[in-house]
């Protein structure tokens, strides 16, 4: 790595610290925000997430090589970590740091987008079921029961096996559309509670359309558990994508994702442990950070702690 690359990495770390401090300053006046940052791991977890997002966005600045470049496969394959290659090289002579940073774009992007698909679908289905009830609720919840009864990994393996190389868009949709069942049940329970409140009855009495009542009055008041579920779910989606990529059914190599980086390096663990260890550590750090943020959000948005 060059001096400019190291400076860019340092700049990314400083920017992540500034972002966390600014979030804390802007949100520091609210009771929920104070409870969030009172959680011992909330601020460090936000820093970890902000740092990975920053380096992923600034990948061309913080990496010395493109992720596909085989620098010198004959001489530099499985090269140990050094000043030139801070995380070493993989069995194909590619810089692990460069692939790790570019892989963050794919792994984080798939996690966020697939969770967005899952949450959107779950919110719509759960909101409609909880608001209309009766046969609509019964029909949609039986569909959810079927989805929950089938192992998610089995469904994904069965569908992904139909493609030789799964496009990223299809992979995101598959992961998202097999992960909304739990969210829909959560949303339905919240909607069943909120729909009986006075402001919802008043909106219906004024002639508001059901769609307007659901999306304008009901769902915003059921947002807290949805936010917590999404924060915790992104980590699970990332682990699922990494598992599929490790098996060769997710993101195909040479496109870098943390899962296929582990797959590329594990046969040489005895002589080149770094090729698999560092992407595994990256996954662990990000998933633990997401879980910590989810736990802090759950404490901060818990209505039973309003008087705490």
């Amino acid at each position: 790595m060059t001096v400019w690359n190291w400076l860019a990495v340092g700049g990314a770390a400083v920017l992540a610290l500034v972002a966390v401090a600014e979030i804390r300053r802007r949100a520091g006046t609210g009771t929920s925000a104070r409870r969030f940052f009172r959680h011992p791991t909330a601020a460090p977890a936000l820093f970890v997430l902000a740092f990975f997002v920053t380096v992923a966005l600034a990948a061309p600045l913080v990496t010395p090589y493109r992720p596909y470049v085989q620098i010198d496969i004959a001489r530099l394959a499985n090269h140990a970590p050094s000043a030139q290659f801070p995380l070493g090289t993989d069995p194909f002579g590619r810089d692990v740091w460069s692939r790790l940073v570019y892989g963050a774009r794919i792994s984080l992007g798939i996690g966020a987008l697939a969770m967005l698909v899952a949450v959107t679908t779950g919110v719509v289905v759960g909101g409609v079921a909880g608001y209309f009830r009766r046969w609509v609720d019964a029909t949609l919840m039986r569909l959810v029961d079927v989805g929950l009864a089938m192992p998610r990994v089995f469904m994904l393996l069965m569908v992904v096996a139909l493609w030789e190389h799964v496009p990223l868009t299809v992979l995101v949709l598959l992961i998202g559309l097999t992960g909304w069942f739990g969210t829909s049940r959560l949303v339905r329970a919240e909607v069943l509670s909120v729909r009986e409140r006075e402001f919802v009855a008043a909106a219906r009495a004024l002639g508001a359309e059901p769609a307007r009542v659901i999306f304008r009055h009901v769902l915003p008041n059921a947002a807290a558990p949805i936010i917590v579920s999404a924060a915790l779910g992104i980590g699970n989606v990332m682990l699922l994508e990494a598992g599929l990529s490790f098996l060769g059914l997710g993101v195909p190599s040479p496109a870098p994702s943390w899962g296929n980086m582990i797959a590329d390096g594990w046969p040489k663990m005895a002589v080149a442990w770094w090729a698999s260890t560092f992407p595994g550590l990256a996954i662990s750090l990000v998933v633990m950070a997401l879980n910590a943020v989810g736990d802090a959000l759950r404490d901060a948005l818990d209505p039973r702690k309003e008087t705490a």
Side-chain angles (χ1 to χ4, degrees):
M1 284 178 64
T2 66
V3 174
W4 294 111
N5 295 138
W6 286 112
L7 289 175
V9 173
V14 171
L15 187 59
L17 283 173
V18 171
V20 173
E22 185 64 16
I23 292 172
R24 189 165 193 167
R25 184 185 68 83
R26 288 181 176 272
T29 57
T31 304
S32 296
R34 287 198 299 270
R35 284 202 301 270
F36 176 82
F37 282 104
R38 198 182 301 157
H39 196 281
T41 59
L46 278 180
F47 168 74
V48 170
L49 295 177
F51 175 74
F52 275 99
V53 170
T54 303
V55 296
L57 293 175
L61 299 177
V62 301
T63 57
Y65 304 100
R66 302 295 292 176
Y68 309 101
V69 172
Q70 293 178 303
I71 305 163
D72 187 344
I73 191 171
R75 188 173 60 88
L76 294 177
N78 297 319
H79 191 280
S82 62
Q84 183 181 3
F85 307 107
L87 302 185
T89 62
D90 68 4
F92 302 98
R94 299 171 299 197
D95 181 41
V96 173
W97 166 252
S98 299
R99 289 181 60 76
L100 186 78
V101 172
Y102 279 95
R105 288 183 168 185
I106 294 178
S107 295
L108 292 172
I110 289 177
L113 292 176
M115 200 62 219
L116 179 62
V117 172
V119 168
T120 302
T121 307
V123 165
V124 172
V125 173
V128 170
Y131 184 81
F132 290 103
R133 299 188 298 186
R134 297 176 182 167
W135 67 269
V136 176
D137 183 22
T139 302
L140 291 176
M141 287 303 103
R142 295 300 76 76
L143 176 64
V144 169
D145 289 340
V146 172
L148 290 173
M150 296 183 65
R152 186 181 184 185
V153 174
F154 174 75
M155 287 192 292
L156 284 170
L157 291 176
M158 185 172 59
V159 176
V160 169
L162 299 175
W163 277 279
E164 184 177 356
H165 297 295
V166 181
L168 283 180
T169 305
V170 174
L171 183 63
V172 168
L173 290 175
L174 286 175
I175 294 175
L177 293 176
T178 56
W180 58 269
F181 307 110
T183 302
S184 67
R185 279 198 172 277
L186 181 66
V187 172
R188 171 184 175 270
E190 291 294 319
V191 171
L192 285 173
S193 174
V194 173
R195 78 182 300 276
E196 303 300 331
R197 296 183 185 177
E198 291 81 1
F199 63 88
V200 176
R204 287 200 298 262
L206 291 172
E209 295 291 332
R212 180 178 176 83
V213 175
I214 293 172
F215 291 102
R216 182 71 180 271
H217 301 286
V218 176
L219 289 179
N221 288 278
I226 299 172
I227 295 171
V228 174
S229 175
L232 293 172
I234 294 175
N236 293 331
V237 170
M238 290 183 62
L239 289 174
L240 183 59
E241 179 275 322
L244 291 174
S245 296
F246 180 83
L247 295 173
L249 299 173
V251 179
S253 190
S257 98
W258 291 342
N260 65 32
M261 287 180 66
I262 297 174
D264 289 341
W266 79 266
K268 298 289 185 179
M269 281 290 290
V271 294
W273 54 267
W274 49 85
S276 291
T277 300
F278 289 119
L281 287 175
I283 294 174
S284 301
L285 278 174
V286 171
V287 171
M288 286 190 295
L290 286 166
N291 288 339
V293 169
D295 288 340
L297 284 172
R298 182 170 52 200
D299 293 343
L301 300 175
D302 189 348
R304 293 171 296 182
K305 297 187 178 183
E306 288 294 334
T307 57

